Amino acid sequence: MFKQGDVTLQARKDLLHEQLATIVQRLDEIQHTYDLIKDKADHYEAHVEGYHGKLAK
């Protein structure tokens, strides 16, 4: 498109905005997945600490 000149400026701009929207959606999905895994890891960490605490008593 770039080689076609200024005639494609709007199309190039639109394409960039579409790519940004796709990336934002992917980032949201990744953040959601991260949050789920982090919560699970924290949950297991609490259980492990609790288990080790009971063993020490």
Side-chain angles (χ1 to χ4, degrees), residues 11-57:
R12 287 185 274 160
K13 184 183 118 186
D14 293 343
L15 182 60
L16 288 171
H17 283 286
E18 289 172 19
Q19 289 175 336
L20 283 172
T22 299
I23 290 171
V24 167
Q25 181 181 359
R26 289 178 64 198
L27 284 171
D28 288 344
E29 292 168 0
I30 291 168
Q31 183 66 53
H32 178 72
T33 302
Y34 170 84
D35 292 341
L36 288 174
I37 292 172
K38 178 79 168 90
D39 287 346
K40 283 186 177 190
D42 291 346
H43 176 77
Y44 280 101
E45 185 67 30
H47 278 288
V48 168
E49 288 176 7
Y51 178 76
H52 287 297
K54 288 180 184 177
L55 288 177
K57 291 181 180 181

